Amino acid sequence: MLIEAASPLDLEIAVLAASPADGAARIWPQVQIGSPDDAEAVTRFAARCDVVTFDHELVPEGVLTRLERDAVVLAPSAETMRIAQNKQFQRELFSTARLPQPAFATCRDLQEARAATFELGFPVMIKAAQGGYDGRGVWQVDSEDQLAAIAQGCVERGITMVIEEQVPLDRELAIQVARDRAGNLAVYPVVETIQADGICRQINFARGTNLPEATEIAVRIAELVDLTGLLAVELFESNGRLLINEIATRPHNTGHYTIEAITTSQFEQHLRAVLKLPLGSTEPIADAAVTVNVLGGADGGDPADRVAAALSVSGAHVHLYGKTQRPGRKLGHVTVLGTAIAECADRAWSAVELLVGEPRPEFAR
Ligand SMILES: Nc1ncnc2c1ncn2[C@@H]1O[C@H](COP(=O)(O)OP(=O)(O)OP(=O)(O)O)[C@@H](O)[C@H]1O
Ligand SMILES: [Mg+2]
């Protein structure tokens, strides 16, 4: 999706992809195959770039610092990526900055985990400080037995745990903001996100949903991490208060709606910010938009074989990422623009049902 945004601007892009089967590698000729944690591969790749940016958090901190020492321009910087890669560092940074978030503790063994849950009270959320995504690496824990099992597993695998109070959720929100090297900002609207089983399923945008506090938090974080590029902040609304869940310093799933619904997509904006181009307008194009993620269905069918059916849904913007289908894996998304969320959601889910071969989940009915 970054390449799709770069193409009309005639930007020269090269991609480091772990495998020729990766989405970006399949659509772009300028690709080097190499693992993001292979220092030699990353260094060789960076040598041909004026600017290196990221669409994941998988390049190890040590490799990033070495690149910067060798005068490679990273955007975001190695220090920003260090924070983005680690939920513990995020929590500590926000705590120092007195930004609102759930109570938490960092734990390295069962004893520390027990002490932390004693303070926080069950239920708690245990999170792997590093390496989790789509709910993998996040566990809801409501008993001593569960705590022992999860903590033991983490200790065995050398995983540092961030243990958080489980806050009551009125709803979950997300917001994007871009910041360029000069400190200029472009702020996107706040959107509502709906998760099931720890995975984001649906994103709702409505024009005029104004939440100044969310904007303030996003801008504070962008400045705090000295961001160059795009930032997404996941937020909880809990008993009417906003709390930070986590951040990503790159284009993010919760901002996919911007491709069709906002004047400048998050992908184009990220490129503008990291390439010293003027930031673009974040003015909405529609009154409402809904994005629904396409997760691999239980029947094992490939959504790519069902595109024709989904395109029969009027106004459905279908994006498939070219990934191998696996039940529950995020394979794409569908966005529908309109005048009200309910109508957009209904049409987006109609298209997703046809792609996945399953009825929509209960919460979407
Ligand atoms: N402290 C908390 N209190 C209540 N619910 C929580 C808490 N932390 C996480 N959750 C729930 O679990 C979901 C996943 O958590 P989190 O965003 O940390 O995991 P993740 O695997 O990094 O997610 P993703 O990669 O999908 O963004 C959240 O969206 C929220 O629904
Ligand atoms: Mg999350």
Side-chain angles (χ1 to χ4, degrees), residues 68-141:
E68 260 178 5
R69 219 179 316 134
D70 294 343
V72 173
V73 178
L74 303 182
S77 70
E79 175 55 20
T80 305
M81 291 307 293
R82 187 182 76 87
I83 295 159
Q85 287 175 348
N86 191 302
K87 286 178 168 156
Q88 175 197 347
F89 299 162
Q90 292 178 30
R91 287 278 178 246
E92 287 169 351
L93 184 72
F94 303 150
S95 170
T96 308
R98 301 186 171 283
L99 287 166
Q101 63 180 352
F104 77 101
T106 302
C107 304
R108 288 186 181 76
D109 57 36
L110 180 56
Q111 201 182 342
E112 287 180 0
R114 282 212 172 104
T117 36
F118 184 76
E119 285 293 317
L120 297 168
F122 286 118
V124 293
M125 304 297 290
I126 301 189
K127 302 185 177 187
Q130 235 165 329
Y133 69 99
D134 284 354
R136 266 167 274 213
V138 174
W139 302 273
Q140 188 200 321
V141 169

Side-chain angles (χ1 to χ4, degrees), residues 13 26 56 102 156 228 249 284 299 317 328:
I13 302 280
R26 290 178 42 168
H56 57 57
E156 274 160 24
T228 304
T249 56
D299 75 352
H317 297 278

Side-chain angles (χ1 to χ4, degrees), residues 87 127 133-135 138 164-165 167 172 234 236 245-246:
K87 286 178 168 156
K127 302 185 177 187
Y133 69 99
D134 284 354
V138 174
E164 303 177 2
E165 64 173 317
V167 298
E172 295 191 59
E234 295 180 8
F236 301 138
N245 176 21
E246 59 168 344

